[in-house]
């Protein structure tokens, strides 16, 4: 356990440069006192760890020192070959780079981790887009990725959800791949970050100069909060329905697992096995479209306007099919 922690401490200093004892303690999830002891142990083992005094001080390695140890277990090395995602890497213009990196990593690994990594690549595949839909056509993706990397401002023409076209000058902060679609997180020069679907960019121009990233901006944290707020905004109404026995999986597939799971968990079947659920919906019209796909496996109880819409649709279908 301690040997693994010492190696982690060494690799942190090697990859990040100077770090304070509290920073190391937070990363390693130990006390500051433990960090002091571990640094002394590394120094006693011949690792050139130095302490810089003062407000900007901290621990660092002697300039130019590099350890040849990578510290990877067989399982850790194998997991890296799932993280490559060759499809998205190719879309970003990094397909050849990712392939070369994978080849070099394989060559550097000892025999056992190399064998594990090869089996991982042969037996597991990550296919990002969902069924029945392909990813967005995003012709400007590589240019956007380059601007994100180089902190270059962009001028774009963008098609909003309502088909309105707008001009924007933005500072691109990060890219997110969600369900086969690429989203750009960017901020106007004097505004807060927001998201743009890269496939909706109609024209793009890279502007001269560089911008400074907002201090403390965390792409993962921003996206997590954005997704949470998006789900909350998306559901504007509720529907009360009766669901036929054994059709929970079909309803979850139709309306979304996150929408249905909590409602099903709290429901009690009636003597015939039907359950009454209250589920959030985007709108009454959208709920009508979704629930019609369930056929006779679902009955709408409320709201009255949705029940009336369902009855009207069923009557029209009866006319159509005789």
């Amino acid at each position: 356990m301690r040997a693994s922690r010492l190696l982690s401490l060494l690799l942190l200093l090697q990859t990040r440069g100077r770090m304070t004892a509290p920073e190391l303690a937070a990363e390693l999830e130990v006390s500051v006192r433990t960090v002091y002891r571990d640094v002394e142990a590394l120094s006693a083992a011949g690792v050139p760890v130095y302490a810089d005094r003062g407000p900007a001080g901290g621990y660092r390695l002697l300039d130019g020192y590099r350890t040849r140890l990578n510290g990877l277990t067989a399982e850790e090395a194998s997991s890296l070959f799932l993280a490559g995602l060759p499809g998205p890497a190719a879309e970003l213009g990094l397909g050849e780079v990712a392939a070369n990196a994978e080849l070099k990593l394989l060559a550097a690994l000892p025999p056992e981790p190399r064998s594990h990594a090869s089996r991982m690549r042969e037996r597991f595949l990550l296919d990002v887009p969902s069924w029945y839909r392909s990813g967005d056509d995003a012709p400007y993706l590589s240019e956007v990725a380059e601007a994100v990397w180089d902190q270059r401002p962009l001028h774009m023409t963008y098609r909003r959800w309502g088909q309105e076209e707008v001009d924007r000058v933005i500072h691109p902060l990060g890219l997110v791949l969600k369900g086969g679609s690429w989203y750009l997180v960017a901020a106007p020069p004097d505004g807060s970050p927001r998201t743009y679907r890269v496939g909706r960019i109609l024209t793009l121009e890279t502007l001269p100069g560089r911008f400074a990233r907002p201090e403390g901006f965390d792409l993962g944290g921003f996206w997590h909060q954005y997704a949470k707020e998006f789900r909350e905004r998306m559901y504007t109404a509720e529907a009360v329905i009766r669901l036929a026995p054994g059709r929970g999986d079909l309803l979850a597939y139709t309306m979304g697992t996150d929408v249905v799971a909590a409602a099903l968990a709290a429901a009690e079947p009636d003597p015939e096995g039907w359950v009454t659920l209250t589920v959030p919906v985007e709108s009454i019209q959208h709920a009508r479209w979704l629930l019609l796909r369930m056929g006779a496996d679902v009955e709408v109880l409320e709201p009255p306007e949705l029940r009336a819409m369902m009855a009207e649709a069923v009557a029209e279908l009866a006319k159509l099919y005789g």
Side-chain angles (χ1 to χ4, degrees), residues 8-9 17 122 125 168 230-231 242 290 310 319:
S8 296
L9 192 155
E122 292 168 358
L125 174 69
R168 293 285 186 269
F230 177 81
R231 287 192 296 270
R242 290 181 72 237
L290 287 179
M310 297 289 286
K319 290 180 184 178

Side-chain angles (χ1 to χ4, degrees), residues 262-282:
L264 280 173
E268 291 291 338
D270 65 17
E272 298 178 347
W274 288 65
V275 292
T276 299
L277 308 173
T278 299
V279 292
V281 295
E282 294 183 38

Side-chain angles (χ1 to χ4, degrees), residues 248-310:
D249 288 346
L250 179 60
L251 183 66
Y253 177 80
T254 302
M255 302 192 71
T257 303
D258 57 337
V259 171
V260 175
L264 280 173
E268 291 291 338
D270 65 17
E272 298 178 347
W274 288 65
V275 292
T276 299
L277 308 173
T278 299
V279 292
V281 295
E282 294 183 38
S283 67
I284 300 302
Q285 286 285 357
H286 190 250
R288 167 186 174 275
W289 177 76
L290 287 179
L291 294 173
L292 280 172
R293 300 166 63 183
M294 296 285 297
D297 289 325
V298 70
E299 177 190 3
V300 173
L301 302 179
E302 297 178 16
E305 57 267 37
L306 177 57
R307 185 176 175 90
M309 286 181 181
M310 297 289 286

Side-chain angles (χ1 to χ4, degrees), residues 178-199:
K178 173 70 170 177
S181 298
W182 286 97
Y183 292 86
L184 170 64
V185 178
D190 297 315
S192 300
R194 57 173 301 176
T195 63
Y196 302 88
R197 195 159 173 166
V198 179

Side-chain angles (χ1 to χ4, degrees), residues 42-54:
L42 285 176
S43 181
V47 176
V49 184
Y50 290 88
D52 292 330
R53 307 295 180 183

Side-chain angles (χ1 to χ4, degrees), residues 87-108:
E91 292 176 5
L92 290 170
L94 298 173
E96 184 177 353
V97 174
N100 289 339
E102 182 178 303
L103 182 62
K104 291 177 180 178
L105 178 58
L106 272 176

Side-chain angles (χ1 to χ4, degrees), residues 82-140:
L82 279 181
L85 291 175
E91 292 176 5
L92 290 170
L94 298 173
E96 184 177 353
V97 174
N100 289 339
E102 182 178 303
L103 182 62
K104 291 177 180 178
L105 178 58
L106 272 176
L109 290 174
E112 184 183 355
R114 185 187 309 141
S115 175
H116 275 264
S118 296
R119 288 202 301 272
M120 178 72 77
R121 185 172 55 177
E122 292 168 358
R123 302 179 189 189
F124 296 94
L125 174 69
L126 299 182
D127 186 13
V128 177
S130 58
W131 289 107
Y132 310 118
R133 60 165 292 183
S134 59
D136 283 351
D137 180 21
Y140 294 107

